[in-house]
Each structure stands twice: as C-alpha cells, then as structure tokens.
Amino acid sequence: MQALNKKTIEDINARGKKVLVRCDFNVPISGGKIDDVKRIAESLPTIKYLAGEGARVILCSHLGRPKGRFDPKFSLKIVAEKLAELLGQTVAMASDVIGEDAKAKASALKDGEIMLLENVRFHDEEEKNDPEFSKSLASLAEIYVNDAFGTAHRAHSSTAGVAAYLPAVAGYLINKEISVMGGALSEPKKPFVAILGGAKVSDKIGVINNLLGKVDALLIGGAMTYTFVKANGGQIGYSLCENDKLYTAREIVEKAKEANVRLLLPIDHLAADAFKNDANQKECFGACIPDGWQGMDIGPETVNLYSGVIKEAATIIWNGPMGVFEFDNFANGTKEIARAISESGAVSIIGGGDSAAAVEKMGYADKVTHISTGGGAALEFLEGLELPGIACLNDR
Ligand code: AMP
C-alpha cells in the first residue's frame, strides 16, 4: 500500500466541529427502492469515525441527473432513511442544499449527530464549480472531507470548489482507493498483468500508454480487440471498429514491443450474426471473422491463454468486459476472466464500471483485493492523471 500524500480524517480534530462530507450516494433506484447499497455501505467507515469522534456530520452527494432544479425523483431522502437504518442512528434530512432548512439543521446539530443535505445537483452551479455556490456550501461547516471517489475526477463545487474555503482532507474510502491503486502502479509485485476490455480503444489509450511503462503483460479483450485485429491486417466482419484509431493501435503494438511488454490479442472469438442474445453463434479462430458476422466475446482458447497468464501474475489490474457480457450467451469470456482473477492469489484490482459489476454479480467480490467504486475516476487514476477532488485536499 502506498501512503496518500494528502491529509485524512485521522489528521484532524473534528470534535464539536461541523464537518461537510462529500459522499457518493449516487445509488441505483427502481420502483422507489435502492437496488444496491454498496456505495452507501462504502461511506460508513468515514461517517462512523467522524460521528464517533464527536463531529457534527453534514453529508452531501449528488443523485442522478436532475438538471439543476429540484425534482423529487432525485431526492436523497431515500438515502437518509437507508443510512439511518445502517448506522442505527437518526439522520436528519434537509429539504434543501444551501437554503434555510439546511442552515437551520446544520446549526442545530449536536456532537456526534448526522444530517444529509438534499441533492447538490438541484443547483446547476454545482457542476459549474461556481465559486459563490462553493462558498455557500462551505459556510455550513468548518472542515471539508471528500470521500466520494466516484466523482473525484470531476471539478464540481462539492467535490473540489468547496475546498478553497475550508481545511480539506480525505475520508477512508478515497484514502483506500488511492493507496491500493497507487501502490499497485508505483510498486507492483511482478509479474504485473493488465487486462483491458470494453468498447473503444479511444477510451483506453491514456490507460494503455500509462501502463505500458509498468506492466509485464497487457491482455486485450472486448470490442477494442477488433480495431487491433484490423490494424494488423486481419478480417473482422462487421465487428465494432474505430477506423480512425488503426494507426494508434499499430503504435501501441510497436510501443509494447519496445517496452518489452507482452501484448496479447484474442486468438479466437465467439461471433454472432446479429447483435442480440439469441443470435446464431460461430467460433472463429485467428484473425478471421467472416463477412456477415461480428465478434461478441473472446473464445475458449483465448480464455485458456489469458487464464494461464493471470495464474502466473502477482499483480493484476482489470478494466472493461471481454465481450458483450450483458447478453448471457456472450458473457462467458468475462465470467471466466473474473474467475481466473479470483483464483489467482495475486493482488487484484478491478477498476470499476462493468468489470466491477461482473465480479460482484458472480460472487467473486470477496476474492479480489480491491474493487474500485469509481468507473471514470479509476480510469483517470490509472491514466496517471491528477483527480481534482484529490488535488484540492490539503497536503500532509
Ligand atoms: P466500456 O464502457 O468501454 O468498458 O465498454 C463496455 C461495453 O463494451 C459493454 O456494454 C459491452 O457490451 C461492450 N462490448 C464489449 N465487447 C464488445 C463487443 N465484442 N462488441 C460490442 N460491444 C462490446
């Protein structure tokens, strides 16, 4: 683990102080119920610590995309109720963000008590990182804690702007995310293997470039495979392909050679004659998907090849599914890679988004070292970029 070079909640004395804590409570909701409480559960260590220290805890978050105005559909009230249940403690719910009710409830807080502000995105100033809005938010509290890793790549008022007006430190979740992922990037146990999948090469170029200088092997899967296959002169039928990235793909192959990185592409594919779960299937070997077919998943030989590399790895980073895993008939590659990682014994980091969902769905969550709570944020961190929600915190 690498130490975060930013102050954390353990570096401050929060007793009796009003502490504004930015959490990521952007939970999936359907039919008036929270489908997955993971994000709320991940916030509990910080909230419990602060309340236990006698802080007056003012929580805030966004939920969905309410377009800058009050919309009961995106109210955080449902989160306050779930939080109260999980904490076994009352969580007061403000009816606004920086309005009279928020101010009154914040002033009335006693040591160890907790409240939640309404959805910060009820104000369109939030996403504009508006200084006046940031200042108003800051005026509710005496200390700012950022624990929302999922939005740490965004420079919004509640994720970054507010830090200009208050002492600002990291919560446990951000500390854990940065320590585990940063540790893997800076001092990986070798062999270090990265597995990248998903839809587009263009989304992953930054990550590939950053990882090429660090990993021993890079395993490619998902739709971005076909841009590489076509760039190498292969046949891809009508598989997804970014024709304007063929040169980039060739460059990546060259860079990998120069850096002595084993860059592996799938050696077989499961193709379909339509983009649907019950499409006809065909296994295609080598770089040869016939006209009228499209690659939908890595094939069984590739699963074997990749699983062998994963088995030998000491550190693994995985981001992006190996195929169209939303369709059960094309989810095998993603499932098998998740299984191989869970059985590897390596330090394993799942970089958020779809790969995190796949690992959780398959019940391997407790067999991997770390599942990042941030899709976009994890990707930007793996690219080596500075995240505004972390850069704004006070240095140690
Ligand atoms: P990303 O957000 O870049 O990680 O991409 C995830 C998406 O890529 C998922 O929705 C997958 O269904 C999609 N995907 C993965 N493999 C393929 C493929 N072979 N063809 C089309 N889409 C794919």
Side-chain angles (χ1 to χ4, degrees):
M1 274 240 248
Q2 176 183 272
L4 180 69
N5 61 355
K6 298 290 181 180
K7 286 193 177 159
T8 75
I9 45 175
E10 292 193 3
D11 297 315
I12 51 166
N13 180 4
R15 178 163 304 278
K17 300 259 173 61
K18 283 181 278 174
V19 182
L20 179 70
V21 188
R22 176 51 155 109
C23 298
D24 180 4
F25 293 146
N26 186 29
V27 289
I29 295 175
S30 57
K33 287 218 167 81
I34 298 174
D35 291 330
D36 184 353
V37 296
K38 183 169 189 280
R39 285 186 168 154
I40 301 178
E42 294 275 6
S43 310
L44 296 179
T46 291
I47 300 171
K48 281 184 183 164
Y49 174 82
L50 288 169
E53 289 289 296
R56 303 171 181 200
V57 184
I58 306 169
L59 305 171
C60 69
S61 174
H62 79 283
L63 174 65
R65 296 177 185 276
K67 301 203 177 105
R69 56 187 145 72
F70 181 82
D71 181 343
K73 228 176 40 222
F74 298 104
S75 171
L76 280 166
K77 195 162 176 276
I78 188 170
V79 172
E81 286 159 8
K82 181 52 77 180
L83 263 172
E85 184 189 316
L86 295 172
L87 290 163
Q89 180 176 350
T90 305
V91 175
M93 182 68 213
S95 60
D96 50 27
V97 185
I98 51 167
E100 291 312 314
D101 195 48
K103 284 181 198 159
K105 289 205 163 73
S107 304
L109 280 176
K110 299 198 180 67
D111 295 2
E113 287 186 347
I114 301 169
M115 67 174 284
L116 174 58
L117 302 177
E118 252 307 356
N119 190 339
V120 285
R121 289 197 188 163
F122 285 168
H123 291 258
D124 63 0
E125 296 93 332
E126 158 69 4
E127 290 187 74
K128 291 181 186 147
N129 196 8
D130 178 81
E132 282 309 312
F133 180 68
S134 303
K135 219 170 169 175
S136 300
L137 208 50
S139 71
L140 295 170
E142 294 149 279
I143 297 172
Y144 169 66
V145 173
N146 192 4
D147 209 26
F149 183 72
T151 46
H153 59 315
R154 305 279 183 226
H156 295 169
S157 280
S158 70
T159 63
V162 70
Y165 307 99
L166 292 173
V169 302
Y172 283 128
L173 178 60
I174 283 206
N175 191 28
K176 181 173 83 174
E177 292 270 9
I178 300 299
S179 303
V180 177
M181 289 200 282
L185 290 179
S186 61
E187 293 161 0
K189 284 194 203 134
K190 300 275 197 161
F192 181 11
V193 174
I195 308 152
L196 293 179
K200 294 176 177 172
V201 179
S202 51
D203 290 345
K204 309 278 157 88
I205 293 170
V207 180
I208 294 174
N209 280 333
N210 192 35
L211 291 181
L212 275 181
K214 307 179 195 302
V215 297
D216 300 291
L218 182 59
L219 315 183
I220 301 283
M224 69 168 162
T225 300
Y226 308 107
T227 304
F228 280 95
V229 172
K230 187 165 176 186
N232 286 344
Q235 230 188 306
I236 60 166
Y238 72 96
S239 305
L240 274 192
C241 177
E242 287 174 279
N243 284 311
D244 60 337
K245 290 288 173 289
L246 297 175
Y247 179 74
T248 306
R250 274 183 224 114
E251 256 186 351
I252 290 170
V253 171
E254 280 311 308
K255 269 195 206 161
K257 268 188 208 148
E258 280 162 27
N260 227 355
V261 172
R262 236 178 124 195
L263 185 140
L264 296 184
L265 292 172
I267 51 174
D268 61 344
H269 317 269
L270 192 57
D273 62 354
F275 191 76
K276 54 182 185 181
N277 188 43
D278 57 359
N280 292 312
Q281 295 187 359
K282 186 199 277 287
E283 259 182 66
C284 302
F285 294 91
C288 188
I289 296 175
D291 287 347
W293 293 82
Q294 73 176 116
M296 298 280 275
D297 194 9
I298 57 174
E301 295 297 326
T302 307
V303 167
N304 282 342
L305 173 70
Y306 286 9
S307 299
V309 177
I310 289 168
K311 203 171 169 189
E312 300 301 317
T315 306
I316 299 168
I317 286 181
W318 180 26
N319 183 288
M322 295 289 101
V324 188
F325 79 112
E326 296 92 335
F327 295 155
D328 280 349
N329 292 340
F330 300 98
N332 187 59
T334 302
K335 284 184 184 166
E336 288 303 317
I337 292 305
R339 183 203 307 282
I341 294 171
S342 75
E343 289 170 355
S344 70
V347 172
S348 50
I349 294 169
I350 317 298
D354 288 333
S355 11
V359 167
E360 272 157 15
K361 195 171 153 196
M362 295 177 60
Y364 295 139
D366 56 351
K367 298 200 178 67
V368 296
T369 311
H370 181 66
I371 301 180
S372 177
T373 53
L379 215 52
E380 290 199 18
F381 187 78
L382 295 176
E383 280 181 50
L385 299 177
E386 187 171 64
L387 308 183
I390 291 164
C392 70
L393 304 177
N394 301 150
D395 291 329
R396 267 191 193 283

